[in-house]
Amino acid sequence: MPVTSLPVSKCQFPCQPLVEENTLSLTQLQSLVASLASTAYSQLFGSQSVGKHVRHIIEHYQTLLAGYANAPHVDQIDYEQRPREEALEENPAAAANTINALRSALHALSNKPTDTPLILNYPVGHEGHAYPLASSLGRELAFLTSHTVHHMALIRLLCDSLSVTVPKDFGVHPSTLRHWRQHDH
């Protein structure tokens, strides 16, 4: 549905479609992770592995959910301040369980308004000074969709190297999937 203009201060659409896009990607990721042996999951290709990408994805969701849960008192999100839990990159069962918990936590955001304010701390420069940038729950969920799909596309390439078959739509952005459906791809 095309939108011609939106009021800047109030855009109270529910987050449900954004949550659904994220949940779809996480469901695909969880299914793949649950199917991999630990050796394949943690197999290094240079400095990369499926597990390292999965951990990176998981920790971005954890960061958003923690920032949202603490709003408005500590409504700041800093994606660079992640715990970097090695267990999530080495143990596919632990990662799959964590992804399942993330999916449940995301569902709780479905009826929240997209314009729920958040502050994104964005570090820049060599000193790492963080710039507080105004954001919203909807904007961060949209970011996480693209971020997750980007890393899933990289995971797809690693799976090709591991001779692991992934579904055709794994690591494909929802906008591309919509385009494919419209053009009978």
Side-chain angles (χ1 to χ4, degrees):
M1 135 178 143
V3 176
T4 54
S5 70
L6 294 174
V8 175
S9 62
K10 289 293 176 188
C11 178
Q12 294 207 6
F13 297 107
C15 285
Q16 181 179 0
L18 297 168
V19 167
E20 288 174 3
E21 283 190 347
N22 280 280
T23 302
L24 172 66
S25 295
L26 289 173
T27 299
Q28 288 182 320
L29 185 62
Q30 181 182 15
S31 178
L32 173 70
V33 168
S35 74
L36 292 175
S38 294
T39 53
Y41 182 74
S42 60
Q43 166 92 35
L44 286 175
F45 295 90
S47 63
Q48 301 299 306
S49 70
V50 170
K52 286 178 184 271
H53 284 280
V54 170
R55 176 198 46 80
H56 181 78
I57 291 167
I58 287 171
E59 290 178 350
H60 273 70
Y61 282 99
Q62 290 172 328
T63 299
L64 172 64
L65 290 165
Y68 176 79
N70 292 319
H73 305 291
V74 184
D75 59 350
Q76 297 184 356
I77 298 166
D78 186 341
Y79 292 113
E80 290 193 20
Q81 299 301 316
R82 302 182 315 275
R84 291 170 172 84
E85 297 176 49
E86 285 186 24
L88 293 175
E89 64 185 60
E90 296 171 358
N91 184 333
N97 288 336
T98 302
I99 293 168
N100 189 50
L102 290 174
R103 289 174 39 220
S104 295
L106 283 173
H107 278 294
L109 302 178
S110 291
N111 293 321
K112 303 299 180 194
T114 56
D115 66 347
T116 301
L118 295 170
I119 302 295
L120 172 66
N121 282 331
Y122 189 77
V124 293
H126 297 294
E127 301 83 31
H129 295 297
Y131 283 87
L133 303 173
S135 190
S136 68
L137 182 57
R139 172 63 189 97
E140 294 307 314
L141 286 169
F143 159 72
L144 285 178
T145 296
S146 293
H147 177 262
T148 298
V149 170
H150 163 75
H151 282 277
M152 287 173 63
L154 295 172
I155 290 169
R156 177 194 247 337
L157 294 174
L158 295 176
C159 284
D160 287 347
S161 297
L162 292 165
S163 299
V164 172
T165 304
V166 296
K168 178 183 172 187
D169 60 350
F170 185 91
V172 178
H173 197 278
S175 64
T176 302
L177 295 174
R178 287 188 290 272
H179 176 77
W180 286 357
R181 281 192 298 272
Q182 289 173 350
H183 294 90
D184 295 316
H185 181 65

